[in-house]
Amino acid sequence: MVTRLSTKILNICIASICKSKQLDKAETVIVDGIRLGVFPDVVTYNTLIDAYCRFVSFDAGYSVLYRMREAGIIPDLVSCNTLISAAARKCFLSKSLDLFDEILQRGINPDVWSYNIVMHCLFKIGKPDEANRVFMDIVLGEFRPSPATYNVMINGLCKNGYVNNALSLFRNLQRHGFVPQVLTYNALINGLCKARRMGTARSILREFREMGYEPNAITYTTVMKCCFQCSKFEEGLEILYEMRSKGYTFDGFAYCTVVAALIKTGRIEEANEIIEQMQSNGIEPDLVSYNTLINLYCRQGRLEDALKLLDEIEKEGLECDKYTHTIIIHGLCMAGNFVGAQQHLNYMNTLGFGFNLVAVNCILDDLGKAGHIDHAMSLFEAMEVKDAFTYTILVHNLCRARRFLSASKLLVSCLKCGFKILRSTQRAVIDGLISIGFTNESRKLKSKIRLARFLH
């Protein structure tokens, strides 16, 4: 039986070929179809727009619009939504908003999906008020908001710091019968965790379970990380064990979140136990995992083991990043090997990393803490690039060495450069001057700090 060729069959073929990323072949099939009298329609071109945007570039996808017009085919809402979505996906947020305006100018009526993308873009570029206006247009207009609309709104509010508004919207929606999705809960929990509202986050997590949902690894890891950030280490470990009891497959990120938190609090033995669990479970470390292990070894003074891991990273085909080398430099400094730290910094330059301000700041801080303040001052003077953290480190260490006049001069120099130093550090310098009897100098410093705040 011979199947008659049609545009529908052509579209099925084009969609299949595009999925396999053979766009040249798709173009050839369209040309062959035209020769046989089977002409592409708007669906054909929409398939091409999506494929070019995904597999080539946004501009390549946009150029298909011109071909459509040449063929006498008018782009429809699907064409425009595909382009708007592609622009947002590739972080061309302004372009996405421009395309939405283009839809309106062409007389094409946008749908809820169009508005959802616009809201997402406005939140991304830090315009939550405008995103809220779009949301109100949807709610008060002829459209019915979709679950995705609410997810975009709650996620956007959280990421822009409006966690209370997100929580109020969430509760209001529930009262009106909205059934939250896993994505909704994850967005809200993530926002609450970033705002350090641990109690509310755990309350939402309990509600999540009561709704019959099963939190996924992302949910658990988010709350666990928040527990550690809020110094609730036992609660964080409880979540870790709960994840294990439920049979979740841990990734390196979850383990490293725990290990990093334990290392920061000096609970090295427990960190070692978690690392052993990770290795016994057969998890292959990624670069983040290796960096965490190197940090652990450096904290324990096991520099030889840390350096061996550098070789292991290369054997695994991974490339060390700036953070890896900065950990090693910090470890050498903690061991008092400042010459070795400088040599490793020079070694980084030979690898093509260029100037590493974070690593230099690290050496500067460790020199000060070790009491080598003159050495730290010499390094500071030799630095061509400095940031606020550089100045803060040296001011703080000068205060520790009770060299308050030098700290005062450096603080003024920092403020003149337009950098900001923590008020607690400023206070330490002022109090230090008073403590050594330089009351007049402390008053002058206060005046200079006030003037700098006014100018900047």
Side-chain angles (χ1 to χ4, degrees), residues 77 81 84 100 103 109-119:
L77 182 59
N81 277 352
I84 292 173
F100 182 78
I103 287 180
N109 293 321
D111 60 4
V112 173
W113 179 245
S114 315
Y115 282 112
N116 288 349
I117 300 167
V118 169
M119 284 166 53

Side-chain angles (χ1 to χ4, degrees), residues 392 396 399 421-431 453:
T392 301
H396 184 74
C399 287
I421 284 188
L422 293 172
R423 294 201 176 191
S424 58
T425 306
Q426 296 175 16
R427 186 77 251 168
V429 179
I430 293 167
D431 291 345
R453 286 177 190 160

Side-chain angles (χ1 to χ4, degrees), residues 118-136 152-163 165:
V118 169
M119 284 166 53
H120 169 77
C121 291
L122 289 169
F123 276 125
K124 277 275 189 180
I125 61 177
K127 294 185 176 180
D129 291 336
E130 291 185 30
N132 186 57
R133 279 196 287 273
V134 173
F135 177 68
M136 294 310 297
V152 169
M153 193 67 188
I154 290 170
N155 188 45
L157 286 169
C158 286
K159 288 191 173 177
N160 280 267
Y162 295 93
V163 180
N165 301 71

Side-chain angles (χ1 to χ4, degrees), residues 425-446:
T425 306
Q426 296 175 16
R427 186 77 251 168
V429 179
I430 293 167
D431 291 345
L433 289 170
I434 294 170
S435 72
I436 60 174
F438 287 82
T439 309
N440 193 38
E441 281 73 7
S442 72
R443 280 198 294 268
K444 287 179 182 178
L445 179 59
K446 284 181 184 178

Side-chain angles (χ1 to χ4, degrees), residues 194-208:
K194 285 186 176 177
R196 302 290 182 93
R197 292 177 58 177
M198 189 62 244
T200 312
R202 295 212 69 176
S203 174
I204 295 293
L205 181 60
R206 281 195 298 272
E207 181 183 316
F208 191 7

Side-chain angles (χ1 to χ4, degrees), residues 43 104-105 131 163 199-200 252-253 282 291 300 305 399 424 445:
V43 175
L104 300 176
Q105 290 169 9
V163 180
T200 312
F253 177 74
N291 285 344
Q300 294 175 314
D305 290 331
C399 287
S424 58
L445 179 59

Side-chain angles (χ1 to χ4, degrees), residues 386-420:
K386 304 178 180 77
D387 62 4
F389 192 54
T390 314
Y391 282 96
T392 301
I393 286 169
L394 200 53
V395 169
H396 184 74
N397 281 300
L398 283 166
C399 287
R400 181 180 293 178
R402 299 192 64 77
R403 292 168 62 169
F404 297 110
L405 284 172
S406 297
S408 176
K409 290 176 184 176
L410 190 63
L411 176 58
V412 172
S413 173
C414 175
L415 295 172
K416 283 181 179 177
C417 292
F419 292 122
K420 292 182 180 179

